Amino acid sequence: MKIVVIGGTGLIGSKVVAASPSSGVNTLTGEGLAEALTGAQVVVDVANSPSFEDKPALDFFETSGRNLLSAEKSAGVKHHVALSVVGTDRLTGSGPGSLSGYFRAKMAQENLIKASGIPFTIVHATQFFEFVKSITKSATGGSTIQLSSVLMQPMASDDVAAAVAEVALGQPVNGMIEIAGPDQIRQDELVRQYLSAAGDARKVVTDAKAGYFGIAVNDQSLVPGGNPRLGPTHFEEWLSRTTPQKKAIEPQAAPASNLPGKMTKVVTLLLCGIVFAALSKVTVTMAATTEPKEAKLTQLLSKDLTDLPGKEGLMLLIEYPPGSLDPIHRHNAHGFIYVLEGSIVMQVRGGKEVTLTPGQTFYEGPEDVHVVGRNASQTKPAKFVVFFVKDKGAPVLVPTK
């Protein structure tokens, strides 16, 4: 599979792939796009406008989008994946001096994708933990920081990159999916926790009229709908590994990604940063890839259930390496799962996808088809125990469609 990533030098693109030897392709002029997309099945667009001003942002997304989608159509690309923002359609109504023009430009980009005729998936992500410094800076006045208490559900950029990579390797939904962090938090409290972890003595003052980068918002504006895909990283965990204690705020380097890939060939077009980087020539990258490691199964207990003729109990320890993914299967048994470590994602056919953390449980019955079973993290292992009540001597796992 050949996947082309637009915006590989940015915060998210650099985590999806890791290498960057240069070439000379530019989506704003169209130079080199045809050659770069030859043989590509999937294009992932995580590029961002270098300006948040209304007209430059609109010009960027419309020009780059038209050139890219036209080249994809000529190349026969089968799946266009684009990264956008949760609440984009709810953040377009404020006037000059706000970021509403930028979100209107993102809406224009999404409309181009929908009208292109190319199968697509638009990934709406909530605000990244890494941007808490920008939120703080935008609201600073002297020794105080004025922020609204609007509800947010931010997430780690590593989890965004993992979700985008997973979508790229899946089938297009011809619609939008939402991804978010595991916890909701109010904007003023988010910054208070960040300042405390950084040893910054400035005070956060809650101001209901402060909005969000000049945009009027409410508690529905920045949070996802009812069934988002949740990243596993909590804000406290992210703070503990990225913000030194008792130290004034400094620019933080994004943690290196260890994202494994399923692609046999990944071509990266490095266009511009996901947030503040300037436009640059595009770079073609060949990234080494490996197949994801399979889960490790260890039998802990097997016992005949004498009160249930023909049945036995089987207890297994399952260890998911980072990025581990189960094939679609069924157990023809009653299965009881208890998570010990990390985060796992489970779903049976007809049910909702759920993310489970240590101490949480999951059940599947003999008629259930297990359509999703994976490690929620691309960088950390996960571990859980499963207890089956099954027919004696029957296989514990049966592959299915």
Side-chain angles (χ1 to χ4, degrees):
M1 178 183 284
K2 178 178 175 181
I3 296 179
V4 177
V5 181
I6 307 294
T9 53
L11 179 58
I12 301 305
S14 61
K15 295 173 180 291
V16 176
V17 290
S20 57
S22 125
S23 172
V25 183
N26 193 316
T27 58
L28 286 176
T29 65
E31 178 188 359
L33 273 176
E35 294 82 358
L37 296 183
T38 299
Q41 287 82 38
V42 181
V43 169
V44 179
D45 187 1
V46 291
N48 197 52
S49 169
S51 172
F52 287 133
E53 296 295 324
D54 295 18
K55 188 176 186 303
L58 184 62
D59 288 346
F60 173 85
F61 285 120
E62 288 192 334
T63 303
S64 177
R66 287 192 180 103
N67 287 338
L68 181 58
L69 291 165
S70 175
E72 289 180 34
K73 204 155 193 175
S74 297
V77 169
K78 304 300 183 186
H79 190 185
H80 179 97
V81 179
L83 180 63
S84 193
V85 184
V86 162
T88 291
D89 58 337
R90 303 189 290 271
L91 299 172
T92 59
S94 299
S98 73
L99 282 186
S100 280
Y102 171 81
F103 290 108
R104 286 191 289 271
K106 289 296 291 180
M107 284 294 296
Q109 177 196 30
E110 293 185 20
N111 289 335
L112 285 172
I113 294 167
K114 293 173 184 176
S116 69
I118 299 169
F120 69 93
T121 304
I122 297 172
V123 181
H124 275 195
T126 54
Q127 181 65 277
F128 307 159
F129 294 155
E130 285 79 1
F131 294 163
V132 65
K133 182 176 180 287
S134 298
I135 295 173
T136 303
K137 184 177 179 181
S138 73
T140 298
S143 61
T144 62
I145 301 165
Q146 288 189 309
L147 290 166
S148 75
S149 60
V150 64
L151 196 62
M152 308 177 75
Q153 197 167 336
M155 65 188 303
S157 62
D158 275 344
D159 295 343
V160 178
V164 169
E166 180 181 340
V167 169
L169 294 166
Q171 296 299 313
V173 301
N174 292 318
M176 178 268 292
I177 66 168
E178 292 185 312
I179 59 175
D183 306 305
Q184 292 190 344
I185 186 172
R186 297 200 173 273
Q187 181 180 228
D188 53 348
E189 182 59 26
L190 180 83
V191 172
R192 285 191 188 98
Q193 291 184 19
Y194 177 68
L195 295 177
S196 176
D200 191 310
R202 286 179 293 172
K203 183 180 179 182
V204 175
V205 177
T206 303
D207 180 356
K209 298 180 180 179
Y212 177 75
F213 288 99
I215 302 173
V217 289
N218 57 40
D219 279 351
Q220 288 73 51
S221 299
L222 304 176
V223 296
N227 191 30
R229 299 187 185 185
L230 301 181
T233 306
H234 296 273
F235 187 54
E236 294 83 356
E237 177 189 351
W238 179 84
L239 282 175
S240 71
R241 70 170 188 248
T242 59
T243 308
Q245 294 289 328
K246 306 304 180 184
K247 187 174 180 181
I249 294 176
E250 297 177 354
Q252 297 294 326
S257 172
N258 188 30
L259 186 67
K262 292 183 180 177
M263 325 86 161
T264 58
K265 184 185 286 185
V266 179
V267 178
T268 306
L269 302 185
L270 304 182
L271 175 64
C272 68
I274 191 67
V275 186
F276 295 112
L279 279 173
S280 62
K281 286 188 176 180
V282 193
T283 301
V284 177
T285 298
M286 302 297 295
T289 62
T290 59
E291 289 297 318
K293 296 179 180 178
E294 294 182 356
K296 178 183 177 182
L297 279 65
T298 303
Q299 181 173 309
L300 302 177
L301 175 70
S302 177
K303 183 173 178 60
D304 288 348
L305 302 177
T306 54
D307 291 340
L308 298 172
K311 300 291 185 180
E312 64 180 347
L314 178 65
M315 183 180 290
L316 300 175
L317 173 66
I318 313 295
E319 297 175 82
Y320 276 163
S324 182
L325 177 69
D326 291 338
I328 296 176
H329 63 274
R330 65 190 306 159
H331 296 292
N332 297 333
H334 295 276
F336 305 84
I337 289 172
Y338 182 86
V339 182
L340 300 172
E341 176 185 324
S343 299
I344 64 174
V345 181
M346 295 284 162
Q347 182 183 13
V348 296
R349 184 165 291 159
K352 291 184 177 180
E353 181 178 289
V354 294
T355 300
L356 306 172
T357 55
Q360 293 187 307
T361 58
F362 185 80
Y363 167 78
E364 58 186 291
E367 304 302 319
D368 287 328
V369 176
H370 202 137
V371 293
V372 177
R374 62 179 175 84
N375 190 338
S377 174
Q378 299 287 343
T379 59
K380 299 177 182 179
K383 188 184 298 184
F384 61 95
V385 170
V386 56
F387 177 76
F388 291 110
V389 177
K390 57 185 283 292
D391 290 339
K392 186 175 180 180
V396 69
L397 184 147
V398 180
T400 188
K401 294 183 179 180

